[in-house]
Amino acid sequence: MNIHEYQAKALLAEYGVPVPVGGVAATPDKARTVAEGIPGPIWVVKAQIHAGGRGKGGGVKVCKSLDEVRSAAEQIIGMQLVTHQTGPEGKKVNSVWVEQGTAIASELYLAVVLDRGAECLTVMASPDGGMDIEEVAESHPERIFTTRLDGGHHIWPYQARQLLFGCGLTPQQVGKGVSFITNLLRLCVEKDATQVEINPLAVTEDGDLIALDAKMNFDESALKRHPEIKALEDPEEEDPLERKAADLGVNYVKLNGYVGTMVNGAGLAMATMDAVKQAGAEPANFLDAGGGANVEMVSKGFEVMLSDPNVRGILINIFGGILRCDIVAEGVVQAAKKLNLSLPVVVRMEGTNVEEGRKILKECGLNFTSADSMTEAARCIAELTREARS
Amino acid sequence: MSILINENTRVIVQGLTGREGSFHGQKMLDYGTKVVAGVTPGKGGQQALGLPVYNTVQEAVDATGADTSIIFVPAGASADSACEAAAAGIKLVILITEHIPVLDMVRCKAFLKSRGTMLIGPNCPGVISPGKSKIGIMPDYIHRPGSVGLISRSGTLTYEAVHQITSAGLGQSTCIGIGGDPVPGLKFIDLLEMFRNDPDTEAVCMLGEIGGDNEEKAAAYIKETNYPKPVFGFIAGLTAPAGKRMGHAGAIISGSKGRGEDKIAALEDAGVTVVKELGRLGETVAAALKK
């Protein structure tokens, strides 16, 4: 789960990591009021969306007066901000963060990530702050310094010193940097953040270190024990259909095709999408109905898929296992009747009582087709949706 | 033979008195698995499924000589349970639970490693050596004893593959669900090594998916060590968009890393027969082994 810059900066401040003084505003007048409470003579107004590259897209403005702050906020709030991370349609900006301008001497890059390969938290630093770190990794890999934490997520001061001296800081700045990094890691471990990026981390003209930007990603599996982090979630940042699915408790990801898929189990769900594509059709979504696949779950799945206007047909692939196929079939039929489903539906089931399940589907009087295998099911739905299009 | 578990494996169920633990505990007993005890803190001295329940894993191990544990406890308590098992001398921990915080798993794995305990999972269906022992939640009737070893990151996808292999007239030596999490226990490479030394395994089937680089590492291992047995592969998620988590916590393409196409290329380069259409997996393996 991602959070906004202003939320990340509040968390950093809570953990003793220096950030500029600032406040959030949803209207131009509020932006001006916020700026009035912050010492000048320079203020920075920043669009609050979950995407990088906001400056290049016109979402960050440096202002020299309170009136400039107001007009910058007027331009930014409500705009459809396009960056390399938003896609061509961009994202609507609902609020801005207004902060005190910082007199910058140099900019570093600092990040904490969960390294899947090494299976530990890893800290990365580079003197090339403000740049896209993937470009630095490509062109100057020697300018990125990394250190791995042990399994207890502990960082020794020497590890932080190595990174900071590597970035060319003075001994005095290194001292400040060690507590910066230590505090940042305390935040990561206590709040289950698995990716934090401070880019840039500014060295001010006074020799202080301060986080000018912050991106944070939290482990969704740990949100149960951090209700205060869960509360930072911004539903406006999600695809409306995915939001609806999440509200219904359905594991759903929207794609751009026209064949809705509903499957039990994530791996089989991905394989089913792939099979649809191989049969010459385009999958409209990923949907994992979970192990249960009961009437309620199937109804919810149908409801989410049918909210996507591109869906022309549905493929249901259930590997019953312990679950009985006749029960799955009853669930599918009941859910379809409840929603007056008229689209073609291909059902492929495997497991105990598969014959009874197929009989139920055949005799239900709905536009259902049974398939024996995944390959056949995918071909069948591709055929049916091709007809539906012409 | 088989790997990891066999008819002599003595199993405890952590969380035996819970809904999932008792349901699957019974299914394992029905299959003939030597389930010897349960552990639920606070319920020591009770009986469940006709088995003794202990407060701690140490008591259960001391009383029964168990060497393996399967864990059915809530996500927030799972890493703790796995560490308790390792501290009590359990050699193999099978962790079924989904949604365990990943930083918990990092700590847990480091501790298990220090104790020499092997971990399967989390977020997995478990392990079965057909005809000998089932320690997991998989539907056992689709399996048949045989010579194909199977390693998979997914649950129902594994069942699909097993079903096809059985329908094609073959059977399985051991099937392992390694789980869909970003920090798993044993990985493709560790299990390929075990299958290599198992005389009853003639071929290995590995089912991967997008995210991480464990399939690529396995490919490098197969190539560098001249793997002596035929390996078949399948990768799920070729149509998944970048940056989106596809159900499994570990199934995500980050930037240009974790892509299915790269995994397939690496496996094919290592001589693995990669099946592109899942529906053809069983017949492909059967055709190759019956030659």
Side-chain angles (χ1 to χ4, degrees):
Chain A
M1 188 196 100
N2 294 313
I3 62 172
H4 286 294
E5 175 195 5
Y6 77 90
Q7 298 165 327
K9 282 184 168 166
L11 271 172
L12 289 173
E14 193 185 311
Y15 277 83
V17 176
V19 293
V21 185
V24 71
T27 65
D29 287 333
K30 178 77 198 301
R32 196 182 192 283
T33 317
V34 168
E36 277 169 11
I38 302 169
I42 305 277
W43 296 267
V44 186
V45 180
K46 304 177 80 178
Q48 296 300 292
I49 58 167
H50 291 180
R54 289 168 295 162
K56 281 181 197 154
V60 177
K61 300 215 182 287
V62 178
C63 307
K64 294 193 177 104
S65 72
L66 295 174
D67 286 340
E68 272 186 41
V69 168
R70 195 190 175 285
S71 69
E74 198 158 25
Q75 285 173 43
I76 295 172
I77 295 170
M79 82 184 283
Q80 202 70 20
L81 183 53
V82 179
T83 83
H84 67 285
Q85 287 182 358
T86 60
E89 70 283 3
K91 268 186 179 173
K92 188 170 175 247
V93 182
N94 294 313
S95 63
V96 291
W97 164 254
V98 183
E99 72 180 19
Q100 184 178 20
T102 302
I104 303 167
S106 63
E107 295 184 338
L108 312 182
Y109 171 93
L110 180 71
V112 180
V113 293
L114 174 80
D115 181 339
R116 283 175 70 159
E119 302 185 338
C120 62
L121 285 173
T122 298
V123 188
M124 298 164 60
S126 169
D128 297 328
M131 295 175 57
D132 185 350
I133 197 65
E134 273 157 15
E135 278 171 33
V136 180
E138 194 69 32
S139 58
H140 292 289
E142 76 286 357
R143 291 173 67 79
I144 297 179
F145 303 90
T146 61
T147 193
R148 286 174 179 168
L149 274 57
D150 63 19
H153 312 310
H154 178 73
I155 187 164
W156 294 99
Y158 85 86
Q159 292 179 283
R161 286 199 301 274
Q162 268 178 355
L163 299 178
L164 296 160
F165 279 119
C167 289
L169 297 193
T170 65
Q172 207 193 2
Q173 291 162 355
V174 167
K176 289 173 182 170
V178 170
S179 68
F180 190 111
I181 291 174
T182 310
N183 287 334
L184 182 61
L185 275 164
R186 197 160 50 83
L187 188 165
C188 291
V189 174
E190 286 182 17
K191 302 287 189 191
D192 285 283
T194 46
Q195 198 169 347
V196 174
E197 200 178 46
I198 310 287
N199 190 21
L201 190 178
V203 180
T204 68
E205 288 176 352
D206 298 332
D208 288 324
L209 269 57
I210 187 164
L212 286 195
D213 198 5
K215 277 200 210 75
M216 286 187 194
N217 181 273
F218 295 88
D219 180 359
E220 291 182 25
S221 296
L223 290 176
K224 235 182 207 171
R225 64 188 180 200
H226 304 299
E228 74 291 358
I229 300 293
K230 174 78 180 157
L232 301 179
E233 193 169 28
D234 181 357
E236 297 272 326
E237 285 286 330
E238 291 163 52
D239 178 274
L241 262 177
E242 289 179 13
R243 195 166 77 211
K244 179 174 182 174
D247 289 344
L248 289 170
V250 176
N251 205 340
Y252 171 90
V253 178
K254 189 178 160 9
L255 305 174
N256 296 321
Y258 51 87
V259 174
T261 65
M262 176 154 50
V263 187
N264 67 331
L268 193 60
M270 281 191 273
T272 304
M273 281 161 38
D274 297 348
V276 167
K277 174 102 178 171
Q278 278 158 355
E282 291 292 333
N285 64 273
F286 164 95
L287 197 163
D288 172 9
N294 53 23
V295 183
E296 198 196 344
M297 204 61 199
V298 173
S299 303
K300 286 175 176 175
F302 273 138
E303 199 183 329
V304 172
M305 282 190 288
L306 295 175
S307 308
D308 178 353
N310 297 329
V311 168
R312 297 166 191 279
I314 291 172
L315 170 56
I316 298 176
N317 185 14
I318 303 289
F319 201 104
I322 287 165
L323 203 68
R324 277 163 43 199
C325 286
D326 49 333
I327 291 177
V328 173
E330 287 284 2
V332 171
V333 170
Q334 278 185 39
K337 284 190 171 159
K338 204 171 95 187
L339 294 163
N340 287 320
L341 190 72
S342 59
L343 294 175
V345 177
V346 174
V347 185
R348 185 273 175 148
M349 292 184 303
E350 199 55 69
T352 40
N353 295 357
V354 65
E355 288 311 321
E356 289 91 325
R358 285 186 189 146
K359 194 160 167 252
I360 290 165
L361 292 177
K362 199 174 168 190
E363 292 170 358
C364 71
L366 293 167
N367 191 4
F368 280 9
T369 310
S370 276
D372 285 343
S373 71
M374 273 189 71
T375 310
E376 188 196 325
R379 268 193 215 128
C380 189
I381 195 67
E383 193 59 39
L384 288 167
T385 48
R386 205 165 8 247
E387 282 164 11
R389 271 186 302 162
S390 56
Chain B
M1 257 173 68
S2 51
I3 67 167
L4 292 169
I5 65 170
N6 58 36
E7 60 275 25
N8 300 317
T9 305
R10 297 174 69 79
V11 188
I12 57 163
V13 178
Q14 287 177 260
L16 180 67
T17 55
R19 189 168 53 103
E20 297 289 314
S22 59
F23 179 81
H24 292 292
Q26 186 60 54
K27 297 259 175 205
M28 287 188 267
L29 284 168
D30 294 346
Y31 194 70
T33 305
K34 285 202 176 66
V35 183
V36 293
V39 174
T40 303
K43 298 205 172 164
Q46 297 182 13
Q47 292 263 319
L49 310 181
L51 299 169
V53 176
Y54 297 91
N55 281 322
T56 67
V57 178
Q58 190 66 61
E59 286 175 273
V61 168
D62 291 346
T64 65
D67 50 24
T68 297
S69 173
I70 181 165
I71 298 179
F72 293 98
V73 306
S78 292
D80 174 44
S81 296
C83 290
E84 183 186 357
I90 291 286
K91 288 295 157 219
L92 173 65
V93 170
I94 297 171
L95 196 40
I96 305 298
T97 317
E98 188 179 4
H99 300 307
I100 301 177
V102 68
L103 293 185
D104 286 8
M105 281 316 301
V106 170
R107 280 203 186 102
C108 175
K109 271 201 78 174
F111 182 75
L112 263 58
K113 195 176 171 194
S114 75
R115 298 290 169 137
T117 299
M118 294 185 288
L119 173 71
I120 295 289
N123 187 10
C124 79
V127 184
I128 183 168
S129 293
K132 295 172 183 164
S133 185
K134 157 184 161 162
I135 309 178
I137 60 172
M138 62 289 282
D140 42 66
Y141 70 89
I142 57 173
H143 300 78
R144 206 174 84 173
S147 62
V148 179
L150 200 135
I151 316 166
S152 169
R153 279 172 69 184
S154 172
T156 47
L157 180 58
T158 317
Y159 310 161
E160 171 74 35
V162 167
H163 177 72
Q164 285 185 29
I165 289 168
T166 301
S167 302
L170 299 171
Q172 304 83 31
S173 53
T174 302
C175 302
I176 307 109
I178 57 176
D181 267 20
V183 177
L186 295 184
K187 299 176 197 163
F188 287 117
I189 220 170
D190 308 302
L191 296 160
L192 280 165
E193 177 74 19
M194 291 182 200
F195 277 131
R196 172 184 216 121
N197 301 318
D198 175 30
D200 284 353
T201 299
E202 284 176 39
V204 183
C205 186
M206 50 183 280
L207 306 174
E209 62 188 31
I210 54 162
D213 63 355
N214 285 329
E215 290 84 358
E216 287 88 333
K217 283 180 177 156
Y221 162 83
I222 290 166
K223 194 174 177 179
E224 282 159 21
T225 64
N226 255 328
Y227 201 72
K229 300 179 181 183
V231 182
F232 301 87
F234 174 78
I235 302 291
L238 295 181
T239 48
K244 289 275 189 181
R245 197 171 81 159
M246 306 303 282
H248 287 155
I252 184 167
I253 302 172
S254 327
S256 59
K257 287 185 198 137
R259 297 191 323 155
E261 292 82 353
D262 298 337
K263 294 176 187 293
I264 290 176
L267 289 169
E268 285 186 335
D269 180 55
V272 174
T273 305
V274 180
V275 178
K276 307 282 165 44
E277 260 185 83
L278 180 60
R280 301 202 178 285
L281 183 91
E283 59 189 72
T284 307
V285 176
L289 292 194
K290 282 174 183 167
K291 257 184 215 162

Tab-separated table of all heavy atoms in Angstrom, chain B residues 229-258:
chain	number	residue	atom	x	y	z
B	229	LYS	N	18.297	-35.251	-14.905
B	229	LYS	CA	16.942	-35.740	-15.165
B	229	LYS	C	16.183	-34.720	-16.000
B	229	LYS	O	16.444	-33.519	-15.890
B	229	LYS	CB	16.215	-35.969	-13.832
B	229	LYS	CG	16.937	-36.989	-12.963
B	229	LYS	CD	16.280	-37.228	-11.625
B	229	LYS	CE	17.115	-38.251	-10.845
B	229	LYS	NZ	16.551	-38.614	-9.564
B	230	PRO	N	15.241	-35.168	-16.823
B	230	PRO	CA	14.459	-34.196	-17.595
B	230	PRO	C	13.650	-33.273	-16.679
B	230	PRO	O	13.099	-33.717	-15.680
B	230	PRO	CB	13.539	-35.063	-18.460
B	230	PRO	CG	13.624	-36.438	-17.923
B	230	PRO	CD	14.870	-36.563	-17.116
B	231	VAL	N	13.617	-31.983	-17.030
B	231	VAL	CA	12.857	-31.004	-16.250
B	231	VAL	C	11.828	-30.346	-17.169
B	231	VAL	O	12.148	-29.964	-18.295
B	231	VAL	CB	13.774	-29.923	-15.636
B	231	VAL	CG1	12.957	-28.942	-14.800
B	231	VAL	CG2	14.875	-30.549	-14.788
B	232	PHE	N	10.599	-30.256	-16.685
B	232	PHE	CA	9.524	-29.595	-17.417
B	232	PHE	C	9.124	-28.337	-16.642
B	232	PHE	O	9.124	-28.331	-15.413
B	232	PHE	CB	8.322	-30.531	-17.563
B	232	PHE	CG	8.665	-31.794	-18.292
B	232	PHE	CD1	9.176	-32.897	-17.603
B	232	PHE	CD2	8.542	-31.865	-19.679
B	232	PHE	CE1	9.530	-34.047	-18.274
B	232	PHE	CE2	8.897	-33.025	-20.355
B	232	PHE	CZ	9.394	-34.126	-19.652
B	233	GLY	N	8.791	-27.287	-17.374
B	233	GLY	CA	8.450	-26.039	-16.693
B	233	GLY	C	7.175	-25.425	-17.228
B	233	GLY	O	6.759	-25.680	-18.362
B	234	PHE	N	6.541	-24.640	-16.384
B	234	PHE	CA	5.417	-23.802	-16.809
B	234	PHE	C	5.507	-22.504	-16.014
B	234	PHE	O	5.804	-22.519	-14.822
B	234	PHE	CB	4.066	-24.487	-16.552
B	234	PHE	CG	2.889	-23.592	-16.845
B	234	PHE	CD1	2.477	-23.384	-18.154
B	234	PHE	CD2	2.231	-22.909	-15.820
B	234	PHE	CE1	1.426	-22.524	-18.443
B	234	PHE	CE2	1.169	-22.038	-16.099
B	234	PHE	CZ	0.763	-21.852	-17.419
B	235	ILE	N	5.241	-21.368	-16.659
B	235	ILE	CA	5.272	-20.067	-15.970
B	235	ILE	C	3.913	-19.389	-16.146
B	235	ILE	O	3.470	-19.152	-17.277
B	235	ILE	CB	6.367	-19.145	-16.571
B	235	ILE	CG1	7.754	-19.791	-16.488
B	235	ILE	CG2	6.347	-17.784	-15.863
B	235	ILE	CD1	8.325	-19.934	-15.107
B	236	ALA	N	3.265	-19.068	-15.042
B	236	ALA	CA	1.967	-18.389	-15.096
B	236	ALA	C	2.139	-16.882	-14.994
B	236	ALA	O	3.054	-16.406	-14.328
B	236	ALA	CB	1.081	-18.873	-13.937
B	237	GLY	N	1.274	-16.150	-15.678
B	237	GLY	CA	1.234	-14.701	-15.520
B	237	GLY	C	1.816	-13.909	-16.678
B	237	GLY	O	2.167	-12.748	-16.525
B	238	LEU	N	1.886	-14.530	-17.874
B	238	LEU	CA	2.455	-13.818	-19.025
B	238	LEU	C	1.596	-12.615	-19.403
B	238	LEU	O	2.083	-11.658	-19.993
B	238	LEU	CB	2.587	-14.760	-20.232
B	238	LEU	CG	3.569	-15.917	-20.048
B	238	LEU	CD1	3.633	-16.765	-21.302
B	238	LEU	CD2	4.954	-15.402	-19.704
B	239	THR	N	0.316	-12.656	-19.071
B	239	THR	CA	-0.563	-11.529	-19.425
B	239	THR	C	-0.700	-10.525	-18.291
B	239	THR	O	-1.479	-9.588	-18.388
B	239	THR	CB	-1.972	-12.044	-19.791
B	239	THR	OG1	-2.391	-12.971	-18.782
B	239	THR	CG2	-1.986	-12.744	-21.128
B	240	ALA	N	0.043	-10.730	-17.201
B	240	ALA	CA	-0.090	-9.819	-16.052
B	240	ALA	C	0.591	-8.486	-16.346
B	240	ALA	O	1.687	-8.451	-16.888
B	240	ALA	CB	0.539	-10.455	-14.818
B	241	PRO	N	-0.068	-7.370	-15.986
B	241	PRO	CA	0.556	-6.060	-16.197
B	241	PRO	C	1.643	-5.795	-15.158
B	241	PRO	O	1.585	-6.327	-14.055
B	241	PRO	CB	-0.613	-5.092	-15.997
B	241	PRO	CG	-1.565	-5.816	-15.101
B	241	PRO	CD	-1.391	-7.280	-15.367
B	242	ALA	N	2.633	-4.973	-15.512
B	242	ALA	CA	3.723	-4.651	-14.578
B	242	ALA	C	3.203	-3.846	-13.394
B	242	ALA	O	2.257	-3.078	-13.522
B	242	ALA	CB	4.809	-3.862	-15.314
B	243	GLY	N	3.834	-4.049	-12.227
B	243	GLY	CA	3.535	-3.230	-11.052
B	243	GLY	C	2.300	-3.633	-10.282
B	243	GLY	O	2.001	-3.057	-9.252
B	244	LYS	N	1.546	-4.633	-10.755
B	244	LYS	CA	0.330	-5.052	-10.067
B	244	LYS	C	0.581	-6.376	-9.369
B	244	LYS	O	1.170	-7.283	-9.953
B	244	LYS	CB	-0.812	-5.249	-11.079
B	244	LYS	CG	-1.330	-3.964	-11.667
B	244	LYS	CD	-2.371	-3.367	-10.765
B	244	LYS	CE	-3.061	-2.195	-11.448
B	244	LYS	NZ	-4.050	-1.589	-10.570
B	245	ARG	N	0.091	-6.489	-8.140
B	245	ARG	CA	0.259	-7.735	-7.409
B	245	ARG	C	-0.870	-8.670	-7.805
B	245	ARG	O	-2.040	-8.339	-7.635
B	245	ARG	CB	0.211	-7.437	-5.917
B	245	ARG	CG	0.757	-8.550	-5.080
B	245	ARG	CD	0.872	-8.096	-3.665
B	245	ARG	NE	-0.418	-8.190	-3.026
B	245	ARG	CZ	-0.584	-8.256	-1.700
B	245	ARG	NH1	0.466	-8.189	-0.926
B	245	ARG	NH2	-1.768	-8.367	-1.178
B	246	MET	N	-0.525	-9.831	-8.351
B	246	MET	CA	-1.541	-10.749	-8.849
B	246	MET	C	-1.878	-11.789	-7.774
B	246	MET	O	-1.426	-12.930	-7.837
B	246	MET	CB	-1.071	-11.427	-10.135
B	246	MET	CG	-0.630	-10.463	-11.227
B	246	MET	SD	-1.888	-9.255	-11.717
B	246	MET	CE	-2.915	-10.284	-12.745
B	247	GLY	N	-2.671	-11.413	-6.806
B	247	GLY	CA	-3.132	-12.347	-5.780
B	247	GLY	C	-2.052	-12.781	-4.813
B	247	GLY	O	-2.101	-12.473	-3.636
B	248	HIS	N	-1.053	-13.490	-5.285
B	248	HIS	CA	0.065	-13.873	-4.428
B	248	HIS	C	0.918	-12.645	-4.118
B	248	HIS	O	1.187	-11.840	-5.006
B	248	HIS	CB	0.965	-14.908	-5.122
B	248	HIS	CG	0.344	-16.269	-5.192
B	248	HIS	ND1	0.695	-17.180	-6.165
B	248	HIS	CD2	-0.584	-16.876	-4.433
B	248	HIS	CE1	0.009	-18.293	-5.978
B	248	HIS	NE2	-0.785	-18.129	-4.938
B	249	ALA	N	1.349	-12.541	-2.884
B	249	ALA	CA	2.174	-11.389	-2.499
B	249	ALA	C	3.457	-11.314	-3.315
B	249	ALA	O	3.998	-10.249	-3.553
B	249	ALA	CB	2.506	-11.453	-1.005
B	250	GLY	N	3.957	-12.474	-3.753
B	250	GLY	CA	5.221	-12.475	-4.485
B	250	GLY	C	5.064	-12.335	-5.982
B	250	GLY	O	6.055	-12.256	-6.706
B	251	ALA	N	3.800	-12.318	-6.461
B	251	ALA	CA	3.588	-12.316	-7.913
B	251	ALA	C	3.442	-10.894	-8.425
B	251	ALA	O	2.360	-10.392	-8.627
B	251	ALA	CB	2.361	-13.148	-8.261
B	252	ILE	N	4.558	-10.238	-8.605
B	252	ILE	CA	4.518	-8.865	-9.095
B	252	ILE	C	5.752	-8.616	-9.951
B	252	ILE	O	6.846	-9.064	-9.629
B	252	ILE	CB	4.437	-7.860	-7.918
B	252	ILE	CG1	4.300	-6.429	-8.419
B	252	ILE	CG2	5.609	-8.003	-6.968
B	252	ILE	CD1	3.895	-5.431	-7.352
B	253	ILE	N	5.539	-7.945	-11.077
B	253	ILE	CA	6.659	-7.562	-11.934
B	253	ILE	C	7.088	-6.176	-11.515
B	253	ILE	O	6.291	-5.253	-11.507
B	253	ILE	CB	6.234	-7.550	-13.418
B	253	ILE	CG1	5.692	-8.918	-13.845
B	253	ILE	CG2	7.388	-7.112	-14.297
B	253	ILE	CD1	5.079	-8.933	-15.217
B	254	SER	N	8.348	-6.003	-11.092
B	254	SER	CA	8.843	-4.687	-10.704
B	254	SER	C	9.785	-4.190	-11.783
B	254	SER	O	10.817	-4.806	-12.015
B	254	SER	CB	9.588	-4.738	-9.375
B	254	SER	OG	9.022	-5.703	-8.535
B	255	GLY	N	9.428	-3.071	-12.421
B	255	GLY	CA	10.251	-2.557	-13.498
B	255	GLY	C	10.370	-3.624	-14.573
B	255	GLY	O	9.376	-4.159	-15.043
B	256	SER	N	11.602	-3.985	-14.927
B	256	SER	CA	11.768	-5.015	-15.942
B	256	SER	C	12.102	-6.355	-15.297
B	256	SER	O	12.407	-7.322	-15.961
B	256	SER	CB	12.885	-4.603	-16.902
B	256	SER	OG	14.078	-4.437	-16.174
B	257	LYS	N	12.034	-6.409	-13.939
B	257	LYS	CA	12.394	-7.658	-13.257
B	257	LYS	C	11.173	-8.531	-13.002
B	257	LYS	O	10.093	-8.019	-12.763
B	257	LYS	CB	13.067	-7.336	-11.924
B	257	LYS	CG	14.464	-6.796	-12.089
B	257	LYS	CD	15.111	-6.604	-10.723
B	257	LYS	CE	16.301	-5.666	-10.822
B	257	LYS	NZ	16.349	-4.712	-9.739
B	258	GLY	N	11.361	-9.839	-13.007
B	258	GLY	CA	10.289	-10.754	-12.655
B	258	GLY	C	9.395	-11.140	-13.814
B	258	GLY	O	8.375	-11.775	-13.621
